[in-house]
Amino acid sequence: MLADLGSVAPQVIVVAAYGQLLCPALLTMPPLGCVNVHASLLPKYRGAAPISWALIRGERVTGVTIMLIDAPLDTGPILLQSELAFEPSDDAGTLQERLATAFEQYANARQQANKYSESILPNARTNLDLIAAPYRHRQFNYL
């Protein structure tokens, strides 16, 4: 599969809700890098179940982060972030849908404003606000 993807010569690779590490050969393949769409305001809730953990911990605001992928999971430079307030009726399913819709609207607005300009640059960040969001087992699907 890696050879097939290499023959296409992608300029960028985008992943969303993947929750696993990409192999080093894949990370270095596209000249513009690999980009991750992550359902939290990184560095909070780094990992495979950020929506559930934000609900469990009683957060009032969450969001979506677009970031360059680095070798450690969810640690690359942040390109864009969009915040979304929780609704009292939110559960993991409704929040996931609202995040997707809100971020799509945000991304479309940014695209119109920037016209693909070079102004979208990585932001420096620290791990001061890091909260891990490990895989959530099936018994917690009621969130």
Side-chain angles (χ1 to χ4, degrees):
M1 182 176 118
L2 195 57
D4 292 336
L5 188 57
S7 69
V8 175
Q11 293 298 297
V12 66
I13 293 173
V14 179
V15 298
Y18 188 60
Q20 298 180 36
L21 295 174
L22 299 180
C23 69
L26 190 59
L27 286 175
T28 58
M29 184 183 295
L32 297 177
C34 294
V35 176
N36 182 28
V37 181
H38 186 79
S40 81
L41 296 173
L42 289 170
K44 276 190 170 182
Y45 303 112
R46 182 172 88 178
I51 293 171
S52 298
W53 284 104
L55 285 165
I56 290 167
R57 294 184 59 109
E59 297 288 347
R60 296 186 182 274
V61 175
T62 190
V64 176
T65 300
I66 303 291
M67 55 172 279
L68 291 174
I69 299 175
D70 248 344
L73 188 65
D74 298 334
T75 60
I78 293 171
L79 300 173
L80 298 171
Q81 285 188 310
S82 176
E83 291 186 357
L84 180 71
F86 284 93
E87 296 290 336
S89 60
D90 273 333
D91 60 27
T94 61
L95 186 56
Q96 182 174 357
E97 289 175 22
R98 288 190 336 101
L99 280 169
T101 300
F103 193 76
E104 179 181 10
Q105 293 168 352
Y106 172 77
N108 287 337
R110 280 295 295 244
Q111 179 181 352
Q112 291 302 314
N114 292 326
K115 299 289 184 191
Y116 298 106
S117 81
E118 289 88 51
S119 66
I120 299 175
L121 299 174
N123 297 325
R125 66 179 174 154
T126 66
N127 285 331
L128 296 177
D129 295 325
L130 173 70
I131 298 174
Y135 178 76
R136 186 175 50 87
H137 295 282
R138 288 187 190 274
Q139 70 230 30
F140 296 114
N141 278 346
Y142 61 87
L143 294 174

